[in-house]
Amino acid sequence: MKVAEYVSYDAVGLAELMAGGEVTPAEVEAAAREAAQAVDPRVNAVVETWPADDRPAPGSAPLAGVPFLVKDIGVTVAGRRMELGSRLAEGNVARADSSLMRRFRRAGLVTFGRTATPEMAYSNTTEPVLYGATRNPWDLGRSAGGSSGGAGAAVAAGVVPLAHATDAAGSIRIPAACNGLFGMKPTRGRVSMGPDFDEVFNGLAVQGGVSRSVRDSAVLLDQIRGPEPGDPYFAPEPPRPYAEEVTRHPGSLRIGVLTRAWGGRRTTPPVADALSRTVRLLESLGHQVEEAEAGLGVDWEEFLLASAHQWSANLAASIDELAAAFGRPVDSSTLEPPVLAGYHYGQQVTGAQFVAALAVRNRVARSLARSFVAYDVLLTPTLPELPVPLGTHAEGAGALDGLGWLRRLFDISPFTVAFNVAGTPAMSVPVTADAGTGLPVGMQFAAGYGLEGRLFRLAGQLEQASPWSGRTPAVWAGDHPGH
């Protein structure tokens, strides 16, 4: 199978080819590896590849034989390294598969490597010291987003059709927006974090993926959703598979548009223009669209402070555990300045402050839930600006404390984190592109708790009305001569 043919299919399409005997899994895997060799030296998305140890029979599972990459955090693969993008965890080898990895295997995915993450996934750009910056395939001087930036760049450049991603503050949706992909952040409790964790960041973090087609993300979520024994809670089962929702009509939805971010950050003109074009598209499809306000139930500074207490306390506990496990110091030799600052800030968080932060989480969830009574869906830009130049996050980072670093991250991505706090599903859809640069612009759609199906129906409609499959980045595996 030539790489140019390989990249023309999504994951479902590749699985269908293999099930029909038109191509073998070995040929598909070889094309994926060739694609990685062609583009990764330029984008630096893939940290490591290894010989795949899964050989599912074609047609035996919905994604049987599809090449796949996991993120360097959030999932463990028995006998493989998971280093969390950090020198503190360098060389860490997982003893066993996590629950999610077992589900990836049952889905038929053939995992052959891992993708880059910023250190501890504690940034919305992927520029770790451990393995260097991941570059955006659309513009190599720009960020691929984070924290699933390696996954985003690998999928956008054609290495794999979909890849594992995690999201605690936008880390599925931000790379999706930066790289022109589809990314669904599922409802809290939709995908198990077991067995090593019941929650990550007190329920803010979720598991999922990024993909070039909507149906790939839907099929993936169908395969990984549902609880494991001992999970503290789980989201209600959907009435039908998400794969079926993609082709169902969404009906006429009441859509509330947030033009200005919480905290007052204004969108830049290219993104504001893209939002206006998206509104017109939605109206042409029969949806009722109006400007809306969706209060958080707390002011922005209180929200920011509570988030800093919650995030940094969790971070400090994780770092202490890693340092003890590997016998390494917690200092500038093992941690980058923003993470080290977050660690020191987290050490000072009191029990009372942490409990108060959880109370803020509850108030935000209750307040946003009321917005989903008034509207079926909320629409925002995923990001207020086009993908930022590499190095933007690092400017003056050494002078920031833990609160200051969170303030910077939330200023760069002010629209995404509230839906992590509320636990509700949200997706980034590459509806349009910037007319001046050709860079993709993601639009975020959010719905009430457990309503991924509603979002998949809308995403499927948008994909048909404004297709993005024909838009490919400057670094694209299918363009390389001889491949």
Side-chain angles (χ1 to χ4, degrees), residues 215-308:
R215 69 176 183 173
D216 278 1
S217 281
V219 170
L220 180 68
L221 190 53
D222 278 331
Q223 297 306 303
I224 64 175
R225 62 180 168 84
E228 290 282 338
D231 282 353
Y233 50 77
F234 54 91
E237 283 293 295
R240 63 186 64 85
Y242 295 127
E244 295 180 11
E245 299 287 17
V246 175
T247 57
R248 291 172 65 91
H249 195 278
S252 178
L253 299 174
R254 299 167 299 160
I255 300 177
V257 183
L258 279 62
T259 58
R260 182 182 295 190
W262 296 289
R265 172 74 191 271
R266 290 185 177 275
T267 57
T268 58
V271 175
D273 175 67
L275 179 61
S276 296
R277 284 183 278 144
T278 301
V279 167
R280 291 196 295 272
L281 174 62
L282 291 165
E283 290 173 336
S284 75
L285 294 170
H287 300 295
Q288 305 166 48
V289 187
E290 65 181 42
E291 193 166 334
E293 292 186 6
L296 293 179
V298 297
D299 67 36
W300 183 250
E301 286 301 314
E302 186 177 3
F303 178 80
L304 180 65
L305 184 61
S307 297

Side-chain angles (χ1 to χ4, degrees), residues 81-421:
R81 283 185 290 171
M82 184 192 70
E83 298 171 309
L84 300 87
S86 179
R87 292 165 292 169
L88 183 64
E90 190 171 4
N92 175 50
V93 176
R95 293 188 301 273
D97 283 355
S98 60
S99 300
L100 179 60
M101 189 61 214
R102 292 196 297 269
R103 293 185 182 203
F104 286 152
R105 294 188 195 274
R106 288 201 297 266
L109 293 163
V110 176
T111 302
F112 70 99
R114 58 191 170 112
T115 60
T117 177
E119 186 171 56
M120 307 290 176
Y122 210 64
S123 180
N124 44 32
T125 189
T126 303
E127 304 177 46
V129 168
L130 183 60
Y131 25 71
T134 296
R135 298 179 177 275
N136 191 315
W138 295 84
D139 180 340
L140 295 175
R142 294 179 186 261
S143 170
S147 62
S148 306
V155 173
V159 177
V160 287
L162 79 165
H164 167 240
T166 66
D167 192 318
S171 293
I172 288 174
R173 292 156 289 159
I174 295 167
C178 290
N179 294 284
L181 304 175
F182 178 80
M184 171 72 77
K185 180 200 85 69
T187 294
R188 180 180 297 147
R190 179 66 69 204
V191 181
S192 176
M193 290 286 184
D196 292 338
F197 302 99
D198 58 355
E199 296 182 318
V200 175
F201 283 106
N202 305 109
L204 270 64
V206 296
Q207 304 271 11
V210 290
S211 61
R212 294 198 295 271
S213 72
V214 175
R215 69 176 183 173
D216 278 1
S217 281
V219 170
L220 180 68
L221 190 53
D222 278 331
Q223 297 306 303
I224 64 175
R225 62 180 168 84
E228 290 282 338
D231 282 353
Y233 50 77
F234 54 91
E237 283 293 295
R240 63 186 64 85
Y242 295 127
E244 295 180 11
E245 299 287 17
V246 175
T247 57
R248 291 172 65 91
H249 195 278
S252 178
L253 299 174
R254 299 167 299 160
I255 300 177
V257 183
L258 279 62
T259 58
R260 182 182 295 190
W262 296 289
R265 172 74 191 271
R266 290 185 177 275
T267 57
T268 58
V271 175
D273 175 67
L275 179 61
S276 296
R277 284 183 278 144
T278 301
V279 167
R280 291 196 295 272
L281 174 62
L282 291 165
E283 290 173 336
S284 75
L285 294 170
H287 300 295
Q288 305 166 48
V289 187
E290 65 181 42
E291 193 166 334
E293 292 186 6
L296 293 179
V298 297
D299 67 36
W300 183 250
E301 286 301 314
E302 186 177 3
F303 178 80
L304 180 65
L305 184 61
S307 297
H309 287 160
Q310 187 177 344
W311 280 38
S312 62
N314 276 276
L315 180 70
S318 297
I319 287 171
D320 281 337
E321 183 178 358
L322 288 167
F326 296 111
R328 291 172 176 158
V330 179
D331 59 24
S332 60
S333 71
T334 57
L335 294 177
E336 298 169 32
V339 176
L340 188 58
Y343 171 77
H344 291 312
Y345 190 88
Q347 287 182 305
Q348 304 303 313
V349 175
T350 67
Q353 289 173 324
F354 186 76
V355 171
L358 296 181
V360 169
R361 182 189 67 173
N362 176 62
R363 286 155 65 187
V364 171
R366 305 287 178 177
S367 183
L368 280 178
R370 287 191 289 272
S371 296
F372 291 123
V373 174
Y375 297 102
D376 299 314
V377 170
L378 292 177
L379 164 64
T380 78
T382 307
L383 294 167
E385 58 188 318
L386 299 174
V388 297
L390 289 169
T392 298
H393 290 67
E395 292 175 4
L400 299 176
D401 66 2
L403 176 61
W405 178 247
L406 261 292
R407 187 184 300 278
R408 174 168 294 185
L409 296 185
F410 285 14
D411 183 65
I412 290 171
S413 178
F415 291 106
T416 54
V417 67
F419 300 111
N420 293 84
V421 175

Side-chain angles (χ1 to χ4, degrees), residues 250 253 282 287 377 427 445 454-462:
L253 299 174
L282 291 165
H287 300 295
V377 170
M427 63 182 182
F445 298 84
R454 178 179 293 169
L455 294 178
F456 275 123
R457 290 193 294 273
L458 177 58
Q461 183 187 51
L462 290 170

